[in-house]
Amino acid sequence: MNDATARAVERMLAADPVWTETGTAGERIGLDRHTLLHAGPPFADPAEICPPILNAAAATLLFEGMADSVEEARAMVRSGAVTLRPAQDFGVVTPLAAVVSRSMWLHVVEDAGGSGARAYSPLNEGGGPALRFGIVSGAVVERLRLLHSAVGPALAGIGSVELRGIACEAMEQGDELHGRVGVASALLTETLVSRLGGTGEVCAFLKEAGQFFLNPWMAACKAVMLAADRVPGAALVTAAGGNGVRFGLRLSGMMGEGWASAPVAAPQGPDIGSLGGASRPRLPAIGDSAVIDALGFGALALDAAPLLRAELGTAAETAIAAADRLLCADHPAHGRRVGLDARAVLLGGPVPPVCLAALHAAGEDGIVGRGLAWHPPSCHAEAVAAVDARSRAGFPDAPDRRA
């Protein structure tokens, strides 16, 4: 890595993400009523929005009381009456097809290492009918109401939660912190339930929400990336995600501006719940959870998750082999390499992988499989070119988040 990327990596290694509070998107990031946040890079046009995100937006507008029917809600999105914007442009990371609206409660994760970086993620809905699966139904809307009328307000009073220790312990027990978060979620749930008194509706929900750690961990990874952001000339990845059509990146040296994006393939791997042995069409890679893998966990840490590694087969071996060639430095707490250097991809390195669930392309059946997706190499070429062009042009530096 070059000197600028090394400086960004130093900031990354110094970051310590802590879940400090919970609050609504309106309160915490000033989100307005007519804006919804989605995963990945921006859509070129409302007509480009994939069916699962369109469904999630419709369910959200019903939840917000802004539409009376699914048809009306979809029409609001297609007409531009409601604007969809990339969540990471607001420091938010959202899973799969889930969108974020003004009334939704967010985890707030801050860097206790002193950078001032702060990132956000929506609450995990647990299993069953869920917005992130890209389906729209009365059950999805009712789950949103439970989450944001009871769970969010309850979590506002729990105090700070140190996430790095949970992550380290979970990795020792077989989680790679993306495709497998069962151990981490159990550890987090134990802490939350204890602080909430152990009984009641919210505790019952948390005990059944087997992936609850995933969303605050996404925000933790994003906060670490933001601590390393806006270093001129640095090719460290600080944003990554798919929108179901394109996959996008942003590098530290892009100074918080723009996305490099390209069409992306669907995750490839085992089917889930296939009917009569027939595979259902998969949506191209979607979700901001790609930040986890870009930091060095998930697909680049499958050696820590033997069960998932065996399930994914030879693709997992390819992903594991990529880690040492793509990642920048050993993390002092995690004992693993972290930090994805986009220049390493251009210099003949492997294509970076992501562990992802696969959604039904038509937005009708939710999750239809899981597996690995791969960054489009052209994203890295475009992003590095943008960093180099900015350096050559001598653009003034953006404000330093560490100041």
Side-chain angles (χ1 to χ4, degrees):
M1 55 183 161
N2 64 14
D3 290 344
T5 301
R7 289 194 296 274
V9 171
E10 287 179 6
R11 297 183 178 187
M12 175 175 284
L13 298 179
D16 180 11
V18 177
W19 174 13
T20 57
E21 57 182 344
T22 311
T24 68
E27 296 168 343
R28 293 299 183 265
I29 62 171
L31 193 64
D32 67 67
R33 180 174 170 81
H34 293 280
T35 301
L36 304 178
L37 306 182
H38 66 84
F43 291 106
D45 184 271
E48 187 185 50
I49 297 170
C50 64
I53 287 184
L54 184 61
N55 285 345
T60 298
L61 293 175
L62 293 172
F63 159 71
E64 290 282 1
M66 295 176 63
D68 294 324
S69 68
V70 172
E71 293 73 20
E72 179 187 359
R74 286 173 174 157
M76 291 174 67
V77 176
R78 292 191 183 104
S79 70
V82 172
T83 302
L84 268 67
R85 297 184 61 185
Q88 291 187 63
D89 288 356
F90 292 75
V92 179
V93 279
T94 190
L96 293 174
V99 299
V100 173
S101 64
R102 179 178 175 82
S103 299
M104 291 183 178
W105 286 74
L106 303 175
H107 302 284
V108 182
V109 177
E110 301 183 51
D111 171 24
S115 73
R118 180 179 293 181
Y120 312 84
S121 63
L123 309 183
N124 189 284
E125 307 145 281
L131 195 69
R132 69 186 185 278
F133 299 156
I135 53 178
V136 56
S137 68
V140 170
V141 177
E142 285 305 310
R143 178 65 62 89
L144 289 174
R145 288 173 179 155
L146 166 66
L147 201 64
H148 300 293
S149 66
V151 179
L155 293 176
I158 60 157
S160 296
V161 179
E162 198 280 327
L163 296 170
R164 191 164 65 187
I166 293 175
C168 289
E169 184 173 350
M171 290 195 79
E172 292 176 358
Q173 298 185 50
D175 283 357
E176 40 66 77
L177 303 180
H178 190 178
R180 283 183 63 91
V181 293
V183 175
S185 293
L187 294 169
L188 177 60
T189 296
E190 182 180 359
T191 297
L192 299 179
V193 168
S194 174
R195 294 185 187 182
L196 291 169
T199 61
E201 180 184 39
V202 173
C203 289
F205 171 84
L206 292 171
K207 291 174 183 177
E208 295 297 322
Q211 291 189 315
F212 202 77
F213 179 81
L214 179 62
N215 291 30
W217 182 243
M218 287 171 57
C221 292
K222 183 63 182 179
V224 171
M225 288 177 164
L226 289 175
D229 204 19
R230 300 173 187 250
V231 177
L236 187 69
V237 174
T238 54
N243 64 16
V245 179
R246 300 175 70 85
F247 190 88
L249 296 175
R250 184 180 291 148
L251 308 184
S252 175
M254 291 170 71
M255 312 307 285
E257 297 182 1
W259 286 80
S261 70
V264 64
Q268 296 301 306
D271 289 332
I272 295 175
S274 58
L275 303 175
S279 295
R280 290 164 289 179
R282 296 181 173 205
L283 186 76
I286 188 170
D288 284 332
S289 57
V291 298
I292 297 172
D293 308 69
L295 189 55
F297 303 100
L300 291 172
L302 281 166
D303 59 291
L307 293 178
L308 183 56
R309 177 179 184 173
E311 181 182 343
L312 296 177
T314 56
E317 304 310 311
T318 301
I320 291 168
D324 284 342
R325 297 180 62 189
L326 292 174
L327 300 175
C328 295
D330 294 327
H331 195 282
H334 290 283
R336 303 188 60 87
R337 295 186 71 78
V338 296
L340 180 56
D341 183 357
R343 291 190 193 278
V345 178
L346 301 191
L347 295 173
V351 177
V354 185
C355 269
L356 282 176
L359 296 185
H360 188 231
E364 297 170 354
D365 293 342
I367 290 183
V368 297
R370 64 191 304 177
L372 294 178
W374 305 85
H375 292 204
S378 62
C379 282
H380 291 263
E382 181 184 345
V384 169
V387 170
D388 291 344
R390 188 178 186 94
S391 297
R392 288 195 300 271
F395 283 116
D397 297 348
D400 191 333
R401 291 179 184 269
R402 297 177 67 90

